[in-house]
Amino acid sequence: MSELPKPRQRLRRLRRTPALRSLVRETAWDVGQLIQPLFVREDPRTAATIPSMPGIRRLTVEETAAEAGELEELGVPAVLLFGLPSGKDAMARGAYADDGVVQEALRAVKEEAPDLIVMADVCLCEYTDHGHCGVVREGRIDNDASLELLARTAVSQARAGADVVAPSAMMDGQVGAIRTALDREGFEDTIIMAYAAKHASAFYGPFREAADSAPRFGDRKTYQKDPANLRESLREIALDLEEGADLVMIKPALAYLDMIRAARERFDAPLAAYAVSGEYSLIKAAAERGWIDERAIVEETLTAMRRAGADLLITYHAKEVARWKRGDPR
Ligand code: PBG
């Protein structure tokens, strides 16, 4: 035994105690970087519970305001609103109606929690009867006709008090169209968080159940990007920044950490990672079976997103994480 050479370097020395590990830790995250997505239902008869997303509920406008107040109190700085309108049509009128569900929720949240940052998703899929993110003409998604409606949606959200509008339809030119429309209407300070690299992903399944937004025909592959392409994500981000995006997002998160890393190295703009519905559901399902330690897994995934290079972290676990951090029993 004494014949064996002693290791020259002992990395375990710096792992010996919590204080040592804290001193050499390379990556940290904070509740102050989390964004909680919320689903708002216009029709109070719409079911609140979402079977594939335990712990997340479809909220009425009043409940959304109350939830925003709780989140603010817990130190979560921002919410991202998605709407479930009581009716849908071919032109997605509910998306840009001044009394639309998200617009009403924006006003209610601003009144309840004035310092909370309120973000609104800008897309048509929850509002169209066909479930696509843009206008359909002769069975195809019409890019430029969609731009007009997306710009109108963003302006009506800004008018209702949105601090941040987040275009997610993946139409070419959507960020530029929205920036122009916002500026024209006097909303120069409204921030744009672009879903820049949004992939045609099966991880959105539970969201589409929650928001009743699955496409009624075809799929989203002609506008959401191919998960196989990394360089194309960098082109999307570069274009959105040129068009005026303030924040850029990559989504989903865990299966795309290489893209977050590549984007971090290429661009200096703040970068958001969106841990989407399917990522949440996977963790919840395993946790419900007692197969994993939910808190440890969630914290590990947030660390991974930060280590890859994300600044802002969008997660359905935001409220729970804030509670864990505070040491609440739940
Ligand atoms: C709207 C939108 C979707 C998500 C965010 N914005 C659904 C989709 O593109 O089908 C997915 C979010 C999630 O899965 O948590 N277009």
Side-chain angles (χ1 to χ4, degrees), residues 82 121 123 125-126 133 168 195 198 203-205 207-208 213 220 224 251 274-278 316:
F82 294 94
D121 187 78
C123 197
C125 62
E126 296 104 317
C133 302
S168 74
Y195 284 72
K198 175 171 177 179
F203 282 102
Y204 308 151
F207 174 101
R208 291 180 192 166
S213 67
R220 303 211 200 289
Q224 298 182 346
K251 136 184 216 234
Y274 192 157
V276 300
S277 57
Y316 295 94

mmCIF file with all atom_site columns, all heavy atoms in Angstrom, residues 82 121 123 125-126 133 168 195 198 203-205 207-208 213 220 224 251 274-278 316, ligand 1:
data_model
loop_
_atom_site.group_PDB
_atom_site.id
_atom_site.type_symbol
_atom_site.label_atom_id
_atom_site.label_alt_id
_atom_site.label_comp_id
_atom_site.label_asym_id
_atom_site.label_entity_id
_atom_site.label_seq_id
_atom_site.pdbx_PDB_ins_code
_atom_site.Cartn_x
_atom_site.Cartn_y
_atom_site.Cartn_z
_atom_site.occupancy
_atom_site.B_iso_or_equiv
_atom_site.pdbx_formal_charge
_atom_site.auth_seq_id
_atom_site.auth_comp_id
_atom_site.auth_asym_id
_atom_site.auth_atom_id
_atom_site.pdbx_PDB_model_num
ATOM   1   N N   . PHE A 1 82  ? -50.249 34.025 -20.378 1.00 0.00 ? 82  PHE A N   1
ATOM   2   C CA  . PHE A 1 82  ? -50.845 33.360 -21.538 1.00 0.00 ? 82  PHE A CA  1
ATOM   3   C C   . PHE A 1 82  ? -52.354 33.383 -21.357 1.00 0.00 ? 82  PHE A C   1
ATOM   4   O O   . PHE A 1 82  ? -52.838 33.144 -20.246 1.00 0.00 ? 82  PHE A O   1
ATOM   5   C CB  . PHE A 1 82  ? -50.383 31.901 -21.627 1.00 0.00 ? 82  PHE A CB  1
ATOM   6   C CG  . PHE A 1 82  ? -48.912 31.750 -21.895 1.00 0.00 ? 82  PHE A CG  1
ATOM   7   C CD1 . PHE A 1 82  ? -48.013 31.595 -20.852 1.00 0.00 ? 82  PHE A CD1 1
ATOM   8   C CD2 . PHE A 1 82  ? -48.422 31.774 -23.197 1.00 0.00 ? 82  PHE A CD2 1
ATOM   9   C CE1 . PHE A 1 82  ? -46.654 31.462 -21.097 1.00 0.00 ? 82  PHE A CE1 1
ATOM   10  C CE2 . PHE A 1 82  ? -47.058 31.637 -23.445 1.00 0.00 ? 82  PHE A CE2 1
ATOM   11  C CZ  . PHE A 1 82  ? -46.177 31.485 -22.393 1.00 0.00 ? 82  PHE A CZ  1
ATOM   12  N N   . ASP A 1 121 ? -47.126 36.984 -23.566 1.00 0.00 ? 121 ASP A N   1
ATOM   13  C CA  . ASP A 1 121 ? -46.792 36.217 -24.760 1.00 0.00 ? 121 ASP A CA  1
ATOM   14  C C   . ASP A 1 121 ? -47.557 36.823 -25.936 1.00 0.00 ? 121 ASP A C   1
ATOM   15  O O   . ASP A 1 121 ? -48.750 37.095 -25.822 1.00 0.00 ? 121 ASP A O   1
ATOM   16  C CB  . ASP A 1 121 ? -47.223 34.757 -24.542 1.00 0.00 ? 121 ASP A CB  1
ATOM   17  C CG  . ASP A 1 121 ? -46.772 33.829 -25.650 1.00 0.00 ? 121 ASP A CG  1
ATOM   18  O OD1 . ASP A 1 121 ? -45.587 33.442 -25.666 1.00 0.00 ? 121 ASP A OD1 1
ATOM   19  O OD2 . ASP A 1 121 ? -47.615 33.477 -26.502 1.00 0.00 ? 121 ASP A OD2 1
ATOM   20  N N   . CYS A 1 123 ? -48.744 35.860 -29.390 1.00 0.00 ? 123 CYS A N   1
ATOM   21  C CA  . CYS A 1 123 ? -48.921 34.787 -30.362 1.00 0.00 ? 123 CYS A CA  1
ATOM   22  C C   . CYS A 1 123 ? -50.400 34.695 -30.675 1.00 0.00 ? 123 CYS A C   1
ATOM   23  O O   . CYS A 1 123 ? -51.230 35.252 -29.963 1.00 0.00 ? 123 CYS A O   1
ATOM   24  C CB  . CYS A 1 123 ? -48.392 33.456 -29.807 1.00 0.00 ? 123 CYS A CB  1
ATOM   25  S SG  . CYS A 1 123 ? -48.137 32.231 -31.113 1.00 0.00 ? 123 CYS A SG  1
ATOM   26  N N   . CYS A 1 125 ? -51.887 31.494 -31.493 1.00 0.00 ? 125 CYS A N   1
ATOM   27  C CA  . CYS A 1 125 ? -52.384 30.114 -31.482 1.00 0.00 ? 125 CYS A CA  1
ATOM   28  C C   . CYS A 1 125 ? -53.462 29.849 -30.437 1.00 0.00 ? 125 CYS A C   1
ATOM   29  O O   . CYS A 1 125 ? -54.325 28.994 -30.638 1.00 0.00 ? 125 CYS A O   1
ATOM   30  C CB  . CYS A 1 125 ? -51.237 29.117 -31.329 1.00 0.00 ? 125 CYS A CB  1
ATOM   31  S SG  . CYS A 1 125 ? -50.303 29.272 -29.803 1.00 0.00 ? 125 CYS A SG  1
ATOM   32  N N   . GLU A 1 126 ? -53.449 30.563 -29.324 1.00 0.00 ? 126 GLU A N   1
ATOM   33  C CA  . GLU A 1 126 ? -54.510 30.357 -28.328 1.00 0.00 ? 126 GLU A CA  1
ATOM   34  C C   . GLU A 1 126 ? -55.830 30.987 -28.786 1.00 0.00 ? 126 GLU A C   1
ATOM   35  O O   . GLU A 1 126 ? -56.874 30.719 -28.202 1.00 0.00 ? 126 GLU A O   1
ATOM   36  C CB  . GLU A 1 126 ? -54.123 30.966 -26.968 1.00 0.00 ? 126 GLU A CB  1
ATOM   37  C CG  . GLU A 1 126 ? -52.915 30.329 -26.308 1.00 0.00 ? 126 GLU A CG  1
ATOM   38  C CD  . GLU A 1 126 ? -51.673 31.197 -26.438 1.00 0.00 ? 126 GLU A CD  1
ATOM   39  O OE1 . GLU A 1 126 ? -51.441 31.741 -27.547 1.00 0.00 ? 126 GLU A OE1 1
ATOM   40  O OE2 . GLU A 1 126 ? -50.941 31.347 -25.449 1.00 0.00 ? 126 GLU A OE2 1
ATOM   41  N N   . CYS A 1 133 ? -50.138 29.595 -35.170 1.00 0.00 ? 133 CYS A N   1
ATOM   42  C CA  . CYS A 1 133 ? -49.617 30.827 -34.567 1.00 0.00 ? 133 CYS A CA  1
ATOM   43  C C   . CYS A 1 133 ? -49.750 32.036 -35.474 1.00 0.00 ? 133 CYS A C   1
ATOM   44  O O   . CYS A 1 133 ? -49.419 33.155 -35.084 1.00 0.00 ? 133 CYS A O   1
ATOM   45  C CB  . CYS A 1 133 ? -48.152 30.624 -34.170 1.00 0.00 ? 133 CYS A CB  1
ATOM   46  S SG  . CYS A 1 133 ? -47.939 29.240 -33.027 1.00 0.00 ? 133 CYS A SG  1
ATOM   47  N N   . SER A 1 168 ? -43.829 35.041 -29.819 1.00 0.00 ? 168 SER A N   1
ATOM   48  C CA  . SER A 1 168 ? -43.462 33.622 -29.862 1.00 0.00 ? 168 SER A CA  1
ATOM   49  C C   . SER A 1 168 ? -43.989 32.913 -31.087 1.00 0.00 ? 168 SER A C   1
ATOM   50  O O   . SER A 1 168 ? -43.952 31.691 -31.161 1.00 0.00 ? 168 SER A O   1
ATOM   51  C CB  . SER A 1 168 ? -43.973 32.911 -28.603 1.00 0.00 ? 168 SER A CB  1
ATOM   52  O OG  . SER A 1 168 ? -45.364 32.723 -28.659 1.00 0.00 ? 168 SER A OG  1
ATOM   53  N N   . TYR A 1 195 ? -38.765 35.280 -28.492 1.00 0.00 ? 195 TYR A N   1
ATOM   54  C CA  . TYR A 1 195 ? -38.560 33.834 -28.537 1.00 0.00 ? 195 TYR A CA  1
ATOM   55  C C   . TYR A 1 195 ? -37.748 33.623 -29.812 1.00 0.00 ? 195 TYR A C   1
ATOM   56  O O   . TYR A 1 195 ? -38.291 33.372 -30.879 1.00 0.00 ? 195 TYR A O   1
ATOM   57  C CB  . TYR A 1 195 ? -39.882 33.108 -28.704 1.00 0.00 ? 195 TYR A CB  1
ATOM   58  C CG  . TYR A 1 195 ? -40.804 32.981 -27.514 1.00 0.00 ? 195 TYR A CG  1
ATOM   59  C CD1 . TYR A 1 195 ? -41.509 34.077 -27.022 1.00 0.00 ? 195 TYR A CD1 1
ATOM   60  C CD2 . TYR A 1 195 ? -41.033 31.735 -26.929 1.00 0.00 ? 195 TYR A CD2 1
ATOM   61  C CE1 . TYR A 1 195 ? -42.398 33.929 -25.968 1.00 0.00 ? 195 TYR A CE1 1
ATOM   62  C CE2 . TYR A 1 195 ? -41.927 31.577 -25.878 1.00 0.00 ? 195 TYR A CE2 1
ATOM   63  C CZ  . TYR A 1 195 ? -42.604 32.683 -25.405 1.00 0.00 ? 195 TYR A CZ  1
ATOM   64  O OH  . TYR A 1 195 ? -43.499 32.523 -24.379 1.00 0.00 ? 195 TYR A OH  1
ATOM   65  N N   . LYS A 1 198 ? -36.933 29.276 -31.080 1.00 0.00 ? 198 LYS A N   1
ATOM   66  C CA  . LYS A 1 198 ? -38.023 28.459 -30.546 1.00 0.00 ? 198 LYS A CA  1
ATOM   67  C C   . LYS A 1 198 ? -38.182 27.247 -31.450 1.00 0.00 ? 198 LYS A C   1
ATOM   68  O O   . LYS A 1 198 ? -38.430 27.384 -32.645 1.00 0.00 ? 198 LYS A O   1
ATOM   69  C CB  . LYS A 1 198 ? -39.315 29.280 -30.515 1.00 0.00 ? 198 LYS A CB  1
ATOM   70  C CG  . LYS A 1 198 ? -40.516 28.464 -30.093 1.00 0.00 ? 198 LYS A CG  1
ATOM   71  C CD  . LYS A 1 198 ? -41.722 29.331 -29.869 1.00 0.00 ? 198 LYS A CD  1
ATOM   72  C CE  . LYS A 1 198 ? -42.919 28.478 -29.512 1.00 0.00 ? 198 LYS A CE  1
ATOM   73  N NZ  . LYS A 1 198 ? -44.119 29.292 -29.273 1.00 0.00 ? 198 LYS A NZ  1
ATOM   74  N N   . PHE A 1 203 ? -41.845 18.884 -26.433 1.00 0.00 ? 203 PHE A N   1
ATOM   75  C CA  . PHE A 1 203 ? -41.898 19.302 -25.032 1.00 0.00 ? 203 PHE A CA  1
ATOM   76  C C   . PHE A 1 203 ? -43.004 20.317 -24.752 1.00 0.00 ? 203 PHE A C   1
ATOM   77  O O   . PHE A 1 203 ? -43.217 20.691 -23.602 1.00 0.00 ? 203 PHE A O   1
ATOM   78  C CB  . PHE A 1 203 ? -40.548 19.906 -24.597 1.00 0.00 ? 203 PHE A CB  1
ATOM   79  C CG  . PHE A 1 203 ? -39.476 18.889 -24.301 1.00 0.00 ? 203 PHE A CG  1
ATOM   80  C CD1 . PHE A 1 203 ? -38.469 18.628 -25.225 1.00 0.00 ? 203 PHE A CD1 1
ATOM   81  C CD2 . PHE A 1 203 ? -39.459 18.192 -23.105 1.00 0.00 ? 203 PHE A CD2 1
ATOM   82  C CE1 . PHE A 1 203 ? -37.468 17.700 -24.956 1.00 0.00 ? 203 PHE A CE1 1
ATOM   83  C CE2 . PHE A 1 203 ? -38.466 17.263 -22.821 1.00 0.00 ? 203 PHE A CE2 1
ATOM   84  C CZ  . PHE A 1 203 ? -37.472 17.022 -23.744 1.00 0.00 ? 203 PHE A CZ  1
ATOM   85  N N   . TYR A 1 204 ? -43.691 20.819 -25.799 1.00 0.00 ? 204 TYR A N   1
ATOM   86  C CA  . TYR A 1 204 ? -44.787 21.777 -25.566 1.00 0.00 ? 204 TYR A CA  1
ATOM   87  C C   . TYR A 1 204 ? -46.127 21.083 -25.362 1.00 0.00 ? 204 TYR A C   1
ATOM   88  O O   . TYR A 1 204 ? -47.147 21.759 -25.206 1.00 0.00 ? 204 TYR A O   1
ATOM   89  C CB  . TYR A 1 204 ? -44.950 22.760 -26.741 1.00 0.00 ? 204 TYR A CB  1
ATOM   90  C CG  . TYR A 1 204 ? -43.690 23.472 -27.177 1.00 0.00 ? 204 TYR A CG  1
ATOM   91  C CD1 . TYR A 1 204 ? -43.527 23.885 -28.504 1.00 0.00 ? 204 TYR A CD1 1
ATOM   92  C CD2 . TYR A 1 204 ? -42.665 23.738 -26.279 1.00 0.00 ? 204 TYR A CD2 1
ATOM   93  C CE1 . TYR A 1 204 ? -42.371 24.539 -28.919 1.00 0.00 ? 204 TYR A CE1 1
ATOM   94  C CE2 . TYR A 1 204 ? -41.513 24.390 -26.691 1.00 0.00 ? 204 TYR A CE2 1
ATOM   95  C CZ  . TYR A 1 204 ? -41.370 24.778 -28.011 1.00 0.00 ? 204 TYR A CZ  1
ATOM   96  O OH  . TYR A 1 204 ? -40.231 25.416 -28.431 1.00 0.00 ? 204 TYR A OH  1
ATOM   97  N N   . GLY A 1 205 ? -46.141 19.754 -25.398 1.00 0.00 ? 205 GLY A N   1
ATOM   98  C CA  . GLY A 1 205 ? -47.407 19.021 -25.313 1.00 0.00 ? 205 GLY A CA  1
ATOM   99  C C   . GLY A 1 205 ? -48.317 19.451 -24.176 1.00 0.00 ? 205 GLY A C   1
ATOM   100 O O   . GLY A 1 205 ? -49.485 19.792 -24.399 1.00 0.00 ? 205 GLY A O   1
ATOM   101 N N   . PHE A 1 207 ? -48.399 22.162 -22.421 1.00 0.00 ? 207 PHE A N   1
ATOM   102 C CA  . PHE A 1 207 ? -48.840 23.553 -22.610 1.00 0.00 ? 207 PHE A CA  1
ATOM   103 C C   . PHE A 1 207 ? -50.043 23.600 -23.542 1.00 0.00 ? 207 PHE A C   1
ATOM   104 O O   . PHE A 1 207 ? -51.007 24.325 -23.299 1.00 0.00 ? 207 PHE A O   1
ATOM   105 C CB  . PHE A 1 207 ? -47.696 24.391 -23.200 1.00 0.00 ? 207 PHE A CB  1
ATOM   106 C CG  . PHE A 1 207 ? -48.091 25.798 -23.576 1.00 0.00 ? 207 PHE A CG  1
ATOM   107 C CD1 . PHE A 1 207 ? -47.773 26.869 -22.746 1.00 0.00 ? 207 PHE A CD1 1
ATOM   108 C CD2 . PHE A 1 207 ? -48.784 26.064 -24.757 1.00 0.00 ? 207 PHE A CD2 1
ATOM   109 C CE1 . PHE A 1 207 ? -48.142 28.162 -23.083 1.00 0.00 ? 207 PHE A CE1 1
ATOM   110 C CE2 . PHE A 1 207 ? -49.149 27.355 -25.099 1.00 0.00 ? 207 PHE A CE2 1
ATOM   111 C CZ  . PHE A 1 207 ? -48.825 28.397 -24.276 1.00 0.00 ? 207 PHE A CZ  1
ATOM   112 N N   . ARG A 1 208 ? -49.997 22.813 -24.609 1.00 0.00 ? 208 ARG A N   1
ATOM   113 C CA  . ARG A 1 208 ? -51.093 22.875 -25.581 1.00 0.00 ? 208 ARG A CA  1
ATOM   114 C C   . ARG A 1 208 ? -52.376 22.327 -24.983 1.00 0.00 ? 208 ARG A C   1
ATOM   115 O O   . ARG A 1 208 ? -53.468 22.749 -25.353 1.00 0.00 ? 208 ARG A O   1
ATOM   116 C CB  . ARG A 1 208 ? -50.707 22.148 -26.866 1.00 0.00 ? 208 ARG A CB  1
ATOM   117 C CG  . ARG A 1 208 ? -49.616 22.925 -27.597 1.00 0.00 ? 208 ARG A CG  1
ATOM   118 C CD  . ARG A 1 208 ? -49.173 22.269 -28.874 1.00 0.00 ? 208 ARG A CD  1
ATOM   119 N NE  . ARG A 1 208 ? -47.947 22.924 -29.340 1.00 0.00 ? 208 ARG A NE  1
ATOM   120 C CZ  . ARG A 1 208 ? -47.144 22.434 -30.270 1.00 0.00 ? 208 ARG A CZ  1
ATOM   121 N NH1 . ARG A 1 208 ? -47.444 21.287 -30.857 1.00 0.00 ? 208 ARG A NH1 1
ATOM   122 N NH2 . ARG A 1 208 ? -46.065 23.090 -30.619 1.00 0.00 ? 208 ARG A NH2 1
ATOM   123 N N   . SER A 1 213 ? -54.322 24.913 -27.352 1.00 0.00 ? 213 SER A N   1
ATOM   124 C CA  . SER A 1 213 ? -53.752 25.611 -28.510 1.00 0.00 ? 213 SER A CA  1
ATOM   125 C C   . SER A 1 213 ? -53.066 24.688 -29.505 1.00 0.00 ? 213 SER A C   1
ATOM   126 O O   . SER A 1 213 ? -52.256 25.142 -30.305 1.00 0.00 ? 213 SER A O   1
ATOM   127 C CB  . SER A 1 213 ? -52.745 26.658 -28.010 1.00 0.00 ? 213 SER A CB  1
ATOM   128 O OG  . SER A 1 213 ? -51.619 26.013 -27.413 1.00 0.00 ? 213 SER A OG  1
ATOM   129 N N   . ARG A 1 220 ? -46.286 22.627 -36.506 1.00 0.00 ? 220 ARG A N   1
ATOM   130 C CA  . ARG A 1 220 ? -45.690 23.967 -36.518 1.00 0.00 ? 220 ARG A CA  1
ATOM   131 C C   . ARG A 1 220 ? -44.305 23.996 -37.183 1.00 0.00 ? 220 ARG A C   1
ATOM   132 O O   . ARG A 1 220 ? -43.554 24.933 -37.020 1.00 0.00 ? 220 ARG A O   1
ATOM   133 C CB  . ARG A 1 220 ? -45.556 24.481 -35.084 1.00 0.00 ? 220 ARG A CB  1
ATOM   134 C CG  . ARG A 1 220 ? -46.852 24.544 -34.280 1.00 0.00 ? 220 ARG A CG  1
ATOM   135 C CD  . ARG A 1 220 ? -46.792 25.681 -33.269 1.00 0.00 ? 220 ARG A CD  1
ATOM   136 N NE  . ARG A 1 220 ? -47.732 25.556 -32.162 1.00 0.00 ? 220 ARG A NE  1
ATOM   137 C CZ  . ARG A 1 220 ? -49.046 25.699 -32.242 1.00 0.00 ? 220 ARG A CZ  1
ATOM   138 N NH1 . ARG A 1 220 ? -49.606 25.924 -33.433 1.00 0.00 ? 220 ARG A NH1 1
ATOM   139 N NH2 . ARG A 1 220 ? -49.807 25.606 -31.168 1.00 0.00 ? 220 ARG A NH2 1
ATOM   140 N N   . GLN A 1 224 ? -41.724 27.037 -36.539 1.00 0.00 ? 224 GLN A N   1
ATOM   141 C CA  . GLN A 1 224 ? -40.794 26.791 -35.434 1.00 0.00 ? 224 GLN A CA  1
ATOM   142 C C   . GLN A 1 224 ? -39.583 26.047 -35.986 1.00 0.00 ? 224 GLN A C   1
ATOM   143 O O   . GLN A 1 224 ? -39.691 25.274 -36.927 1.00 0.00 ? 224 GLN A O   1
ATOM   144 C CB  . GLN A 1 224 ? -41.485 25.979 -34.341 1.00 0.00 ? 224 GLN A CB  1
ATOM   145 C CG  . GLN A 1 224 ? -42.665 26.742 -33.754 1.00 0.00 ? 224 GLN A CG  1
ATOM   146 C CD  . GLN A 1 224 ? -43.357 26.011 -32.626 1.00 0.00 ? 224 GLN A CD  1
ATOM   147 O OE1 . GLN A 1 224 ? -43.134 24.825 -32.421 1.00 0.00 ? 224 GLN A OE1 1
ATOM   148 N NE2 . GLN A 1 224 ? -44.214 26.722 -31.917 1.00 0.00 ? 224 GLN A NE2 1
ATOM   149 N N   . LYS A 1 251 ? -35.548 28.079 -26.338 1.00 0.00 ? 251 LYS A N   1
ATOM   150 C CA  . LYS A 1 251 ? -36.579 27.233 -25.756 1.00 0.00 ? 251 LYS A CA  1
ATOM   151 C C   . LYS A 1 251 ? -36.794 25.996 -26.582 1.00 0.00 ? 251 LYS A C   1
ATOM   152 O O   . LYS A 1 251 ? -36.760 26.128 -27.803 1.00 0.00 ? 251 LYS A O   1
ATOM   153 C CB  . LYS A 1 251 ? -37.819 28.114 -25.639 1.00 0.00 ? 251 LYS A CB  1
ATOM   154 C CG  . LYS A 1 251 ? -39.143 27.561 -26.047 1.00 0.00 ? 251 LYS A CG  1
ATOM   155 C CD  . LYS A 1 251 ? -40.194 28.594 -25.943 1.00 0.00 ? 251 LYS A CD  1
ATOM   156 C CE  . LYS A 1 251 ? -41.433 27.884 -25.493 1.00 0.00 ? 251 LYS A CE  1
ATOM   157 N NZ  . LYS A 1 251 ? -42.558 28.074 -26.279 1.00 0.00 ? 251 LYS A NZ  1
ATOM   158 N N   . TYR A 1 274 ? -36.083 29.000 -21.367 1.00 0.00 ? 274 TYR A N   1
ATOM   159 C CA  . TYR A 1 274 ? -37.458 28.664 -20.974 1.00 0.00 ? 274 TYR A CA  1
ATOM   160 C C   . TYR A 1 274 ? -37.541 27.151 -20.753 1.00 0.00 ? 274 TYR A C   1
ATOM   161 O O   . TYR A 1 274 ? -37.488 26.373 -21.700 1.00 0.00 ? 274 TYR A O   1
ATOM   162 C CB  . TYR A 1 274 ? -38.411 29.105 -22.083 1.00 0.00 ? 274 TYR A CB  1
ATOM   163 C CG  . TYR A 1 274 ? -39.898 29.101 -21.752 1.00 0.00 ? 274 TYR A CG  1
ATOM   164 C CD1 . TYR A 1 274 ? -40.768 29.917 -22.476 1.00 0.00 ? 274 TYR A CD1 1
ATOM   165 C CD2 . TYR A 1 274 ? -40.457 28.320 -20.746 1.00 0.00 ? 274 TYR A CD2 1
ATOM   166 C CE1 . TYR A 1 274 ? -42.134 29.947 -22.214 1.00 0.00 ? 274 TYR A CE1 1
ATOM   167 C CE2 . TYR A 1 274 ? -41.815 28.340 -20.477 1.00 0.00 ? 274 TYR A CE2 1
ATOM   168 C CZ  . TYR A 1 274 ? -42.654 29.156 -21.216 1.00 0.00 ? 274 TYR A CZ  1
ATOM   169 O OH  . TYR A 1 274 ? -44.006 29.175 -20.969 1.00 0.00 ? 274 TYR A OH  1
ATOM   170 N N   . ALA A 1 275 ? -37.642 26.766 -19.480 1.00 0.00 ? 275 ALA A N   1
ATOM   171 C CA  . ALA A 1 275 ? -37.890 25.359 -19.147 1.00 0.00 ? 275 ALA A CA  1
ATOM   172 C C   . ALA A 1 275 ? -39.387 25.124 -19.358 1.00 0.00 ? 275 ALA A C   1
ATOM   173 O O   . ALA A 1 275 ? -40.209 25.556 -18.561 1.00 0.00 ? 275 ALA A O   1
ATOM   174 C CB  . ALA A 1 275 ? -37.494 25.078 -17.700 1.00 0.00 ? 275 ALA A CB  1
ATOM   175 N N   . VAL A 1 276 ? -39.734 24.495 -20.460 1.00 0.00 ? 276 VAL A N   1
ATOM   176 C CA  . VAL A 1 276 ? -41.122 24.478 -20.925 1.00 0.00 ? 276 VAL A CA  1
ATOM   177 C C   . VAL A 1 276 ? -41.971 23.430 -20.202 1.00 0.00 ? 276 VAL A C   1
ATOM   178 O O   . VAL A 1 276 ? -41.480 22.661 -19.356 1.00 0.00 ? 276 VAL A O   1
ATOM   179 C CB  . VAL A 1 276 ? -41.197 24.280 -22.449 1.00 0.00 ? 276 VAL A CB  1
ATOM   180 C CG1 . VAL A 1 276 ? -40.465 25.417 -23.174 1.00 0.00 ? 276 VAL A CG1 1
ATOM   181 C CG2 . VAL A 1 276 ? -40.652 22.921 -22.855 1.00 0.00 ? 276 VAL A CG2 1
ATOM   182 N N   . SER A 1 277 ? -43.242 23.403 -20.593 1.00 0.00 ? 277 SER A N   1
ATOM   183 C CA  . SER A 1 277 ? -44.227 22.573 -19.903 1.00 0.00 ? 277 SER A CA  1
ATOM   184 C C   . SER A 1 277 ? -43.813 21.110 -19.799 1.00 0.00 ? 277 SER A C   1
ATOM   185 O O   . SER A 1 277 ? -43.941 20.493 -18.740 1.00 0.00 ? 277 SER A O   1
ATOM   186 C CB  . SER A 1 277 ? -45.579 22.698 -20.615 1.00 0.00 ? 277 SER A CB  1
ATOM   187 O OG  . SER A 1 277 ? -45.463 22.339 -21.979 1.00 0.00 ? 277 SER A OG  1
ATOM   188 N N   . GLY A 1 278 ? -43.304 20.545 -20.895 1.00 0.00 ? 278 GLY A N   1
ATOM   189 C CA  . GLY A 1 278 ? -42.939 19.125 -20.869 1.00 0.00 ? 278 GLY A CA  1
ATOM   190 C C   . GLY A 1 278 ? -41.802 18.843 -19.902 1.00 0.00 ? 278 GLY A C   1
ATOM   191 O O   . GLY A 1 278 ? -41.742 17.778 -19.280 1.00 0.00 ? 278 GLY A O   1
ATOM   192 N N   . TYR A 1 316 ? -41.992 26.945 -14.716 1.00 0.00 ? 316 TYR A N   1
ATOM   193 C CA  . TYR A 1 316 ? -43.264 26.746 -14.005 1.00 0.00 ? 316 TYR A CA  1
ATOM   194 C C   . TYR A 1 316 ? -43.016 26.437 -12.532 1.00 0.00 ? 316 TYR A C   1
ATOM   195 O O   . TYR A 1 316 ? -43.947 26.453 -11.741 1.00 0.00 ? 316 TYR A O   1
ATOM   196 C CB  . TYR A 1 316 ? -44.066 25.619 -14.683 1.00 0.00 ? 316 TYR A CB  1
ATOM   197 C CG  . TYR A 1 316 ? -44.487 25.980 -16.096 1.00 0.00 ? 316 TYR A CG  1
ATOM   198 C CD1 . TYR A 1 316 ? -43.708 25.611 -17.195 1.00 0.00 ? 316 TYR A CD1 1
ATOM   199 C CD2 . TYR A 1 316 ? -45.626 26.747 -16.328 1.00 0.00 ? 316 TYR A CD2 1
ATOM   200 C CE1 . TYR A 1 316 ? -44.064 25.979 -18.482 1.00 0.00 ? 316 TYR A CE1 1
ATOM   201 C CE2 . TYR A 1 316 ? -45.986 27.118 -17.620 1.00 0.00 ? 316 TYR A CE2 1
ATOM   202 C CZ  . TYR A 1 316 ? -45.203 26.731 -18.684 1.00 0.00 ? 316 TYR A CZ  1
ATOM   203 O OH  . TYR A 1 316 ? -45.549 27.112 -19.960 1.00 0.00 ? 316 TYR A OH  1
HETATM 204 C C1  . PBG B 2 .   ? -47.348 29.977 -28.121 1.00 0.00 ? 1   PBG B C1  1
HETATM 205 C C2  . PBG B 2 .   ? -46.444 29.322 -27.144 1.00 0.00 ? 1   PBG B C2  1
HETATM 206 C C3  . PBG B 2 .   ? -46.239 27.958 -26.904 1.00 0.00 ? 1   PBG B C3  1
HETATM 207 C C4  . PBG B 2 .   ? -45.356 27.886 -25.824 1.00 0.00 ? 1   PBG B C4  1
HETATM 208 C C5  . PBG B 2 .   ? -45.016 29.187 -25.488 1.00 0.00 ? 1   PBG B C5  1
HETATM 209 N N1  . PBG B 2 .   ? -45.690 30.057 -26.318 1.00 0.00 ? 1   PBG B N1  1
HETATM 210 C C6  . PBG B 2 .   ? -46.857 26.760 -27.502 1.00 0.00 ? 1   PBG B C6  1
HETATM 211 C C7  . PBG B 2 .   ? -46.485 26.329 -28.859 1.00 0.00 ? 1   PBG B C7  1
HETATM 212 O O1  . PBG B 2 .   ? -45.654 26.933 -29.529 1.00 0.00 ? 1   PBG B O1  1
HETATM 213 O O2  . PBG B 2 .   ? -47.111 25.365 -29.306 1.00 0.00 ? 1   PBG B O2  1
HETATM 214 C C8  . PBG B 2 .   ? -44.888 26.624 -25.170 1.00 0.00 ? 1   PBG B C8  1
HETATM 215 C C9  . PBG B 2 .   ? -44.537 26.788 -23.724 1.00 0.00 ? 1   PBG B C9  1
HETATM 216 C C10 . PBG B 2 .   ? -44.465 25.530 -22.936 1.00 0.00 ? 1   PBG B C10 1
HETATM 217 O O3  . PBG B 2 .   ? -44.532 24.399 -23.454 1.00 0.00 ? 1   PBG B O3  1
HETATM 218 O O4  . PBG B 2 .   ? -44.334 25.662 -21.720 1.00 0.00 ? 1   PBG B O4  1
HETATM 219 N N2  . PBG B 2 .   ? -47.003 29.784 -29.442 1.00 0.00 ? 1   PBG B N2  1
#
